Each structure stands twice: as C-alpha cells, then as structure tokens.
Amino acid sequence: PITFLATATWFKDGSFVSRSEIYASVGGASFSLVQSVPSAGAHDWECFHIGHETFLGLANVRDDHSQLVDSVIYRHQWTNAEMGTFEVFQRIPTAGAHDLEVFVIGDRTYLAISNQGNDMDCSSGGVMLYVFHPEEDRFLFLSQIATGCATYSKHLATTDVQEGEQHYLAVMIERVESDDSGWNYNVNSSIHQVYGCDHTCRVSPACA
C-alpha cells in the first residue's frame, strides 16, 4: 500500500508564493518526495475520497499582494510514474482560505471552505459550501455562511430518534468587524445545521 504525506508551505525565502510538497511511503518504508505543487501561503491540506478516487485539497491564504487567491483541488491519476501524480482537478476562488472540510450527507459529498477574508476585510470572509456533482465532475457552489473571519470548520453528525441523522458545521471565527473599535476578537464560534441539498442549500444557525 502507498501512504501519502502532504506538507503546506506558508512562507519561504521572503515570499508567500512557494511550493508545497507531497511525499509517499510504500509498504511502511521511509517517505520520499514525489511531487511539489505551486502554493500561496498554504495553510491546510485535506485528503478525501469520492468513489474509488483520491483527492487532495489545498487551502491557500495569500500571495505577496492580497488574500484573493485560488485554492486548488487535486485528483490522483495513475500515470507512468510509479506513485501516480496529483493533477489539478478544480480551482476555487477564495479569500484567505484557512481550512477545507469535506463531509458526506446521503450520497452527496460536500466541501466547506473557511475564508478569513481579504486582508482585514471580514465582510469577505465566511464559509463557502460546495457540493460535488458527478454529472459535471466538479464541485458546484451552494451557499455562503456569513460568519466574519472564519478560520476553521468541522462537520458533526448526530442521530435523533425522531429526526434521524442531523448534520452540523462548527465554525471557528477569528474576529468580526466592530463599529466602535474596528475589530472584535472576543467573539463566539458558531454551529450551523446543514440540510442535504443539490443546487441550493439551507443552513440555519444552531448555536452561537
């Protein structure tokens, strides 16, 4: 079996624009470098599977000019290389993306991207929700949860006797804009209930 290890490069040689690396181990042997990919203030890798395919999602925070940069989804392809390679599958425009979270509701795969916002602008932050459409072979945008500067999200699932399985996103919020002081870092994180959806999505606050 092959085990992959991906490292995210935040800042190197005086620049946020760098390369992040993917290593592989075969049968428990030492990890060796097999691929490097362009990155911009890389903050998080997320590995997930859809069917029999393996994906890696890279959350990019910023380049040397702004936080409006693409985050990138890679799909593993068995090429002539012994380990295969991760090829660009989809680029997603983000604003200071700090975290990717992938979860499944029913037979659908969802992607939540936590955006800090562009530089100090929390109004451009929040969590963007996408759903994978096998017919189009890509993630499609569903909705955005306006939370302020979001830096992390985590999927939670519970089972209720009457309601069945319930799905939530817990969102960690760094700060929000304040009318009197500019920024408020003393903020509650929030939990949002997510209802399975295809083209539109209903998300309601469950706790804050």
Side-chain angles (χ1 to χ4, degrees), residues 26 31 71 103 149 201:
V26 179
F31 282 94
S71 292
F103 57 97
C149 292
C201 195

Side-chain angles (χ1 to χ4, degrees), residues 36-141:
S36 69
V37 299
S39 58
H43 200 270
D44 178 51
W45 280 105
E46 179 81 2
C47 179
F48 59 97
H49 302 275
I50 300 177
H52 297 291
E53 295 188 300
T54 300
F55 295 81
L56 278 176
L58 177 63
N60 286 315
V61 176
R62 63 171 300 119
D63 59 19
D64 293 331
H65 304 287
S66 82
Q67 296 191 179
L68 298 178
V69 295
D70 289 347
S71 292
V72 187
I73 307 296
Y74 294 87
R75 177 162 58 186
H76 186 261
Q77 303 282 351
W78 286 109
T79 61
N80 293 331
E82 180 183 358
M83 306 293 181
T85 57
F86 285 92
E87 304 291 342
V88 174
F89 172 70
Q90 185 174 350
R91 298 182 183 275
I92 300 176
T94 50
H98 274 56
D99 177 72
L100 306 178
E101 175 77 355
V102 176
F103 57 97
V104 176
I105 300 177
D107 61 351
R108 291 293 195 186
T109 300
Y110 295 86
L111 168 66
I113 303 178
S114 298
N115 287 298
Q116 185 186 44
N118 183 29
D119 295 322
M120 298 300 290
D121 179 17
C122 274
S123 65
S124 59
V127 178
M128 298 189 304
L129 286 177
Y130 294 80
V131 63
F132 180 77
H133 270 256
E135 302 85 358
E136 301 191 34
D137 196 32
R138 63 193 301 264
F139 285 96
L140 298 181
F141 176 73

Side-chain angles (χ1 to χ4, degrees), residues 103-106 154-170 191-195 206:
F103 57 97
V104 176
I105 300 177
K154 180 67 177 178
H155 170 250
L156 308 169
T158 63
T159 301
D160 184 88
V161 175
Q162 295 181 336
E163 300 294 334
E165 192 171 59
Q166 305 292 301
H167 295 268
Y168 303 87
L169 268 182
I191 299 176
H192 305 262
Q193 187 166 8
V194 181
Y195 302 86

